Amino acid sequence: MSTAQPLLQLQHVSISPKKSPSRLLVNDVSFSIEAGKTTCVVGESGSGKSLTALSVMGLLSQQLQLNTGKVLFNDKESGVQDIALLSEKALQKIRGAKIAMIFQEPMTSLNPVLTVGYQIGESLTTHLGLKGEALKAKIAALLEMVGIPSSRAGSYPDELSGGQRQRVMIAMSIACEPRLLIADEPTTALDVTVQAQILKLLDDLKARMNMGMLFITHDFGVVADIADNVVVMFRGEIVEAGSKAQVLSNPQHPYTRALLACVPDAEGKKDLKPIDYAWLPENNTQSIGAVR
Ligand SMILES: Nc1ncnc2c1ncn2[C@@H]1O[C@H](COP(=O)(O)OP(=O)(O)OP(=O)(O)O)[C@@H](O)[C@H]1O
Ligand SMILES: [Mg+2]
């Protein structure tokens, strides 16, 4: 592995619908992630966070295209590869094994008619060829690792709580010890206490496995908890990026300041004021002005 290179590097990534290539849903996005570090991508709904994540997985929908840019993944075996140029077959070898993703709503990602143990085992069999007792033992160990008794391996998703299902998703995602974990708002559907437990679990696993983490959220409380670096997106563009300390304590861009002004206060009360867009040049999305 070339150690000078970060684990993941997005370089000038732009995404548009195939039918209207000039409509940039993600516009010239560049940032990188180091092994063992968490980059949080924040921004309001529709700002392009999920599309950016999907491009890293090579999972953009058929209607969309990567217009420009590179998604450079630094892999121990293969060296630096541009994910955007890989075939579907090559991508399948990486997905789940080297780069894994946790989605927001576990019920839509888990198969209701298969036991959770079976579903955790699938990628272990596919990518690592595990079978029989070795497979069973690994599934049990993964369940325990995410705080679920291994006796629940035979349970179906609807027999588990929301928090347990999300833990199962985490067990599935880390099963093959990926180098990079992408989590797209993985705790939004959970209550605050469970959310805090899941965040701590992800943070611990990241440290233990020295994974890089790309964590998408619109919640600055989450950023404060787990980020090393922060990328702020607005209308498909990065408006500000930097270390957590820089972005949270000394935000430079008016959009970041406006987002931070909406963070709940110490008593947990939400400030229901809408985000202040006074800084935005009216009808002019070209001059948002990035700050780095
Ligand atoms: N298949 C598609 N075809 C056309 N436009 C799309 C498609 N998928 C997403 N978009 C648009 O791209 C923009 C960015 O979407 P994306 O899902 O990345 O937003 P997001 O930041 O993840 O938002 P949220 O916080 O709501 O999840 C949105 O305006 C969305 O409507
Ligand atoms: Mg999204």
Side-chain angles (χ1 to χ4, degrees):
M1 180 160 79
S2 58
T3 45
Q5 285 275 349
L7 180 63
L8 181 78
Q9 226 180 336
L10 271 74
Q11 293 180 343
H12 307 292
V13 167
S14 294
I15 299 168
S16 73
K18 280 182 184 155
K19 283 187 180 155
S20 52
S22 61
R23 195 179 145 229
L24 296 180
L25 304 169
V26 170
N27 186 0
D28 196 25
V29 161
S30 302
F31 64 88
S32 53
I33 300 179
E34 313 280 341
K37 302 275 184 206
T38 298
T39 293
C40 278
V41 177
V42 280
E44 65 198 13
S45 187
S47 55
K49 306 181 298 293
S50 291
L51 293 186
T52 303
L54 289 170
S55 73
V56 177
M57 289 290 277
L59 277 178
L60 283 178
S61 87
Q62 285 298 316
Q63 299 96 39
L64 300 178
Q65 65 182 14
L66 201 76
N67 285 28
T68 59
K70 293 181 178 174
V71 181
L72 301 176
F73 179 59
N74 189 9
D75 175 29
K76 225 180 275 172
E77 282 90 38
S78 321
V80 178
Q81 291 178 296
D82 185 352
I83 289 185
L85 300 177
L86 294 181
S87 67
E88 182 56 29
K89 202 169 160 211
L91 282 170
Q92 279 171 8
K93 278 200 184 149
I94 290 182
R95 263 185 231 132
K98 292 173 177 170
I99 306 178
M101 185 156 173
I102 310 170
F103 296 90
Q104 179 171 347
E105 182 33 72
M107 254 341 241
T108 55
S109 314
L110 289 171
N111 188 328
V113 300
L114 298 172
T115 65
V116 295
Y118 181 89
Q119 295 184 67
I120 293 170
E122 272 181 326
S123 70
L124 291 166
T125 305
T126 310
H127 293 296
L128 306 179
L130 283 191
K131 285 186 279 204
E133 286 306 311
L135 177 63
K136 251 174 127 174
K138 182 73 185 177
I139 293 167
L142 280 162
L143 280 170
E144 299 283 349
M145 202 187 278
V146 298
I148 297 181
S150 54
S151 57
R152 301 302 301 264
S155 299
Y156 291 89
D158 69 358
E159 296 169 339
L160 302 176
S161 70
Q164 285 175 322
R165 287 197 286 261
Q166 198 54 291
R167 286 169 192 271
V168 168
M169 289 297 300
I170 293 170
M172 285 168 72
S173 68
I174 61 164
C176 298
E177 305 196 1
R179 304 310 314 134
L180 176 69
L181 184 62
I182 303 174
D184 191 351
E185 311 233 21
T187 58
T188 313
L190 305 171
D191 72 52
V192 188
T193 322
V194 182
Q195 172 172 337
Q197 290 167 356
I198 299 282
L199 285 179
K200 172 139 188 6
L201 172 64
L202 282 170
D203 203 38
D204 288 349
L205 291 169
K206 178 210 71 171
R208 200 184 321 170
M209 297 161 64
N210 198 35
M211 289 186 298
M213 190 145 76
L214 171 59
F215 196 104
I216 294 173
T217 181
H218 54 261
D219 183 342
F220 270 103
V222 172
V223 176
D225 271 353
I226 62 160
D228 293 296
N229 295 297
V230 185
V231 168
V232 184
M233 289 186 73
F234 178 73
R235 295 190 183 168
E237 295 182 35
I238 293 181
V239 293
E240 179 156 5
S243 70
K244 174 169 73 178
Q246 278 167 1
V247 175
L248 293 193
S249 317
N250 191 16
Q252 298 295 305
H253 195 279
Y255 178 63
T256 316
R257 288 192 217 122
L259 279 181
L260 280 165
C262 299
V263 171
D265 63 21
E267 283 112 47
K269 275 184 281 174
K270 283 259 181 213
D271 182 347
L272 293 176
K273 265 192 325 205
I275 293 177
D276 179 5
Y277 290 112
W279 54 273
L280 187 65
E282 228 175 2
N283 303 323
N284 180 3
T285 58
Q286 299 307 309
S287 55
I288 295 164
V291 182
R292 286 181 202 220

